[in-house]
Amino acid sequence: MRTVEEHASIVSALLRPTPVIEVPLREAVGLVLAEDLRAGLDLPPFRNSAMDGYAVRAVDLTGFPIELPVSQDIPAGRKDVTDLTPGTAARIMTGAPLPDNADTIVQVEKTDGGEHVVVISDAPPAGIHIRTRGEDITVGTVALPAGTVVGATQIGVAAALGRATLRVRRPLHVLILSTGTELVAPGQDLEPGQIYESNSAMLAAAVEEAGGSASVAHFVTDDVTEFNSALAAVDADLIITSGGVSAGAYEVVKDALTGQGVEFAKVAMQPGMPQGAGHVGQIPIVTLPGNPVSSYVSFEVFLRPAVRAAMGLPNITRPALRLPLATALDSPPGKRQFRRGTVDTQLGTVAPWGGPGSHLLAWLAGADAIIVVPEATTRLESGELVEVWVLD
Ligand code: AMP
Ligand code: MG
């Protein structure tokens, strides 16, 4: 049997870093910057007022209250601001450019708000309420280093710096293909012996939660010809299949791809023992077992880290903690067990959530953690420390 680490490195080695693309700003959300974003201008780009009020020269403010003629009106966006006539004030709005020789802003609340003559009640500290040029960032400085994950605030600064596009690593395109003659699409009627197909929607969502982009091919029956023709026209960075890789008969994925560039192996883990990885033509493929919990756990263990790494995303593994168990659990010898769990953040403990069965999808959906029990461990008592991966 392969170890979990052996299979994980086989899966990771299938994927190359995704290419760098230039995208409109808003399409960069969730992607990784592939360039240092350097400021092409100072921010703020010019000296401006931080308040609605009056721009003055501090030397003109003596004896309060003081009355000054208003010599200019400067709304935001004004392009033809002239020097302040000594002994006067310019009415000015937030973000408007300061006259060169003004050095202080009197906020409007400290005045009578006059339009032609203004009465100032109080002496503001000299130099106050002015945003200096380049105070936030100076031209030529790196605002965001390559490798930054682009989110709302990074989009904000890029736009403020005048960038309409960004160079990022493009999402990994993953195609999901489920197999199983018993499968029916959600929304249709079930006949005896049939079940709803749940893995492709779940795995596609998992790919997207990991940062990639997913498309779902219509699932196929356990028929090798049908399976092969579903794969024939595929274009993707990675194919993930579900089902048809165990030890029984009618294992369509195994039957179709054994000796065709895909290696099937047993991995020393529970759930998720039957696994496969390789290429179909030039396209990397990872074949997951069909049991829903096996499929999902396999994705967490092997694919989430590989997808994130290929996109240059950080935190390729889930945050891991060591927590005391709230209740005892048993684990099979020689296999790494990945149990569904719930973390009690008040008590700082973790408890198994549902049994180990790999069909217990509702329990999986209620879990917020994966408990990782080492291969050599067959029982852990309540209170013993265990590794926990925190989901979300
Ligand atoms: P397999 O890996 O194909 O032997 O399937 C193992 C178990 O998972 C069987 O009970 C299947 O019915 C179930 N199963 C396989 N594929 C899916 C799927 N796409 N959605 C829901 N259940 C599935
Ligand atoms: Mg099957």
Side-chain angles (χ1 to χ4, degrees), residues 16-21 168-171 237 310:
R16 303 273 148 269
T18 57
V20 173
I21 52 171
V168 290
R169 267 196 196 289
R170 81 152 163 71
D237 298 318

Side-chain angles (χ1 to χ4, degrees), residues 178-180 182-183 195-200 219 222 242-246 250-251 274 288-292 295 358-359 361:
S178 286
T179 65
E182 73 280 28
L183 303 177
I195 60 167
Y196 285 120
E197 199 279 301
S198 56
N199 285 347
S200 62
F219 54 89
D222 294 317
S242 116
V245 294
S246 326
Y250 313 105
E251 304 291 5
L288 302 180
N291 271 305
S295 239
S358 53
H359 58 299
L361 181 54

Side-chain angles (χ1 to χ4, degrees), residues 30 33 153 183 219 226 228-229 256 276-277 288 290 310 325 338 370:
L33 261 189
T153 57
L183 303 177
F219 54 89
E226 196 186 337
N228 280 334
S229 61
L288 302 180
L325 273 172
F338 296 94
I370 290 177

Side-chain angles (χ1 to χ4, degrees), residues 57-376:
R57 306 185 324 154
V59 294
D60 291 334
L61 300 183
T62 48
F64 290 92
I66 182 178
E67 211 177 87
L68 293 179
V70 176
S71 54
Q72 289 187 64
D73 196 28
I74 316 178
R78 181 144 186 188
K79 297 178 191 158
D80 57 351
V81 175
T82 57
D83 275 7
L84 195 61
T85 310
T88 71
R91 191 166 81 139
I92 193 164
M93 302 303 146
T94 304
L98 250 76
D100 282 342
N101 60 337
D103 57 19
T104 300
I105 301 294
V106 183
Q107 65 188 102
V108 66
E109 292 84 350
K110 302 278 168 69
T111 74
D112 68 349
E115 286 178 32
H116 304 293
V117 174
V118 60
V119 179
I120 299 169
S121 49
D122 229 347
I128 200 167
H129 302 322
I130 291 176
R131 301 165 173 169
T132 58
R133 177 173 176 163
E135 188 184 344
D136 191 9
I137 189 164
T138 53
V139 62
T141 310
V142 174
L144 302 170
T148 301
V149 180
V150 180
T153 57
Q154 290 73 32
I155 295 275
V157 74
L161 289 169
R163 293 289 297 260
T165 62
L166 286 174
R167 287 167 59 76
V168 290
R169 267 196 196 289
R170 81 152 163 71
L172 190 83
H173 296 314
V174 183
L175 180 101
I176 320 273
L177 174 61
S178 286
T179 65
T181 302
E182 73 280 28
L183 303 177
V184 172
Q188 315 263 299
D189 291 334
L190 279 187
E191 287 177 38
Q194 297 184 321
I195 60 167
Y196 285 120
E197 199 279 301
S198 56
N199 285 347
S200 62
M202 175 173 67
L203 291 169
V207 166
E208 280 161 4
E209 284 180 5
S213 89
S215 52
V216 173
H218 196 281
F219 54 89
V220 294
T221 65
D222 294 317
D223 176 82
V224 170
T225 311
E226 196 186 337
F227 177 76
N228 280 334
S229 61
L231 281 186
V234 162
D235 184 25
D237 298 318
L238 169 68
I239 300 167
I240 299 176
T241 63
S242 116
V245 294
S246 326
Y250 313 105
E251 304 291 5
V252 63
V253 177
K254 225 177 178 176
D255 294 345
L257 298 179
T258 298
Q260 304 294 317
V262 180
E263 204 184 331
F264 294 91
K266 287 183 175 167
V267 179
M269 64 193 282
Q270 185 205 57
M273 187 175 69
Q275 298 285 342
H279 288 87
V280 164
Q282 301 296 309
I283 305 178
I285 183 167
V286 175
T287 65
L288 302 180
N291 271 305
V293 178
S294 311
S295 239
Y296 185 78
V297 166
S298 306
F299 182 89
E300 282 288 333
V301 175
F302 303 119
L303 284 160
R304 191 174 187 279
V307 168
R308 292 184 69 80
M311 293 179 61
L313 288 164
N315 309 322
I316 65 169
T317 55
R318 297 282 192 180
L321 305 172
R322 284 189 77 75
L323 294 177
L325 273 172
T327 57
L329 62 73
D330 293 305
S331 182
K335 286 185 184 171
R336 192 172 307 175
Q337 194 188 37
F338 296 94
R339 281 288 284 272
R340 279 62 66 205
T342 51
V343 172
D344 185 324
T345 49
Q346 298 283 314
L347 297 175
T349 58
V350 66
W353 188 249
S358 53
H359 58 299
L360 302 176
L361 181 54
W363 286 95
L364 172 65
D368 59 17
I370 290 177
I371 302 172
V372 186
V373 186
E375 289 79 343

